[in-house]
Amino acid sequence: MIDTTNINDLIGADVYGSDDEKIGSVGQVYVDAEAQTPTWVTIKTGLFGTSETFAPLDDASFDGYQVRVAYPKDTVKDAPRIDSDGEISREEEDALYTYYGNGTAAPDAALYDQDTDRGNAAPRDTEGYDTSGPTTGDAMTRSEEQLHVGTEKVETGRARLRKHIVTEQVTKTVPVSHEEITVTREPITDANLGDAMAGGELTSEEHEVVLTGERVVTSKETVPVERVRLGTETVTDQQQVTEDVSHEEIELIDPDADSTPSK
C-alpha cells in the first residue's frame, strides 16, 4: 500500500506498467487533500520535453525501489499530457479521470491546492507539505530532528597476569681470610734460655704448621618479595560527536503569485 510515508521514496523511482514494461520515473506526487494519501504521480519519459504523463496510484504498488501501476505502458503513455508548469485546469483534471475511468474530480482532489482558486491551482508536491493530520487548518506543524548522545559499555581489550622466570647475574664482594707463614726470630735471654737449652747440642728436626683459609660458599633460597594484583580503573575522556540533523522550515507563499511545484 502506498501512503504518506512513501512519498519521499516515490520521487525518482522507476515506474513499470501492469505489462512489466518500464514507463519512466516518478516526477511529482499529488496528495488527496482530504484523505492525505498519494493519488497521482507524474511520470517523466524524457521524450516529450517538459510534458509529463499522469498515472493514478489506484491499485498501484511500491516495493521501495519500483512503482508498479495497474495500467499497461501504452495506456499510460497515451494519457492526456499536461505541461509541468504548475497550473492544471479543471478540464485537464476531468480529462485524466475520464481517460482512466477511475472516478471524477472532487473539490478537494489532489491535483488542486484547496487554498487557491480552481482556475489557477497548483499541484501539491511532497516538499513542505504538512501531512500531520487530515487538514492543516490555519496552522502547520514544524518538526526537527534532535540528536541524543549516550554511551554504551563495550569490550575494548583484555589483560592478564603471567609469571615467568628471568635469570640474571648478581655480583657481591665477600671478605675471605687465610693464614700465611710468618717467621719470628727472638734473641736468647734469661727468660728463654731454659727452653733453648732443653734439646741436644746439635740436632736435626722439623716443625710443621697447618695453614687455614676461608673459601666462598654460596647458597640460594626463594623468598616472597611482593604481591601483584590485576584491577581496573575508569578514565573519562572528552570525545566529540558530529552528526547531520535535519529540521523543517516554514515559509509564507503569496497566494496571488504563481507557484510551481518543487522538483
Side-chain angles (χ1 to χ4, degrees):
M1 178 180 178
I2 300 177
D3 53 31
T4 53
T5 61
N6 304 119
I7 291 180
N8 290 334
D9 296 330
L10 286 173
I11 303 297
D14 291 335
V15 182
Y16 285 80
S18 59
D19 52 0
D20 294 330
E21 292 289 333
K22 182 178 178 180
I23 304 174
S25 60
V26 175
Q28 302 174 69
V29 180
Y30 292 86
V31 179
D32 182 272
E34 189 69 26
Q36 295 293 305
T37 57
T39 56
W40 293 83
V41 292
T42 61
I43 305 173
K44 297 180 179 180
T45 60
L47 300 176
F48 300 93
T50 60
S51 295
E52 296 181 356
T53 299
F54 274 76
L57 292 178
D58 299 341
D59 299 322
S61 63
F62 179 56
D63 61 4
Y65 303 96
Q66 299 176 354
V67 177
R68 192 171 301 273
V69 296
Y71 302 88
K73 177 179 180 180
D74 290 341
T75 300
V76 175
K77 295 186 68 174
D78 291 339
R81 310 196 69 80
I82 301 175
D83 291 337
S84 56
D85 58 0
E87 298 181 1
I88 303 176
S89 67
R90 177 58 183 267
E91 290 74 17
E92 289 173 329
E93 182 182 3
D94 288 337
L96 288 173
Y97 280 105
T98 300
Y99 176 79
Y100 284 106
N102 60 333
T104 58
D108 291 327
L111 297 181
Y112 293 93
D113 190 331
Q114 63 180 357
D115 296 325
T116 60
D117 295 333
R118 275 193 168 277
N120 187 24
R124 297 184 179 273
D125 200 285
T126 58
E127 295 296 331
Y129 187 68
D130 186 18
T131 59
S132 59
T135 59
T136 59
D138 58 356
M140 182 176 289
T141 301
R142 188 181 72 85
S143 302
E144 66 180 12
E145 294 178 339
Q146 294 184 348
L147 180 62
H148 301 282
V149 180
T151 61
E152 63 174 344
K153 186 170 291 186
V154 297
E155 182 176 315
T156 58
R158 294 191 179 189
R160 63 170 59 92
L161 291 178
R162 180 170 59 90
K163 184 171 65 173
H164 61 278
I165 298 174
V166 177
T167 301
E168 59 182 5
Q169 289 186 338
V170 178
T171 301
K172 291 186 177 182
T173 301
V174 180
V176 179
S177 302
H178 66 280
E179 295 178 340
E180 295 183 351
I181 293 296
T182 60
V183 177
T184 302
R185 298 180 182 275
E186 298 177 353
I188 301 300
T189 63
D190 293 336
N192 58 17
L193 179 59
D195 295 331
M197 297 298 291
E201 295 182 359
L202 295 174
T203 58
S204 298
E205 62 179 297
E206 293 181 357
H207 186 69
E208 183 179 86
V209 176
V210 177
L211 301 176
T212 60
E214 296 177 338
R215 66 179 181 182
V216 177
V217 178
T218 62
S219 62
K220 295 181 288 186
E221 64 173 332
T222 302
V223 296
V225 293
E226 68 176 347
R227 296 278 292 173
V228 179
R229 180 178 291 104
L230 190 63
T232 62
E233 64 175 346
T234 301
V235 179
T236 302
D237 297 326
Q238 299 295 327
Q239 182 175 345
Q240 291 185 338
V241 178
T242 302
E243 287 288 346
D244 293 332
V245 179
S246 302
H247 69 277
E248 298 174 342
E249 293 186 355
I250 298 176
E251 60 181 0
L252 175 63
I253 300 177
D254 187 352
D256 296 329
D258 292 338
S259 60
T260 58
S262 301
K263 302 295 182 181

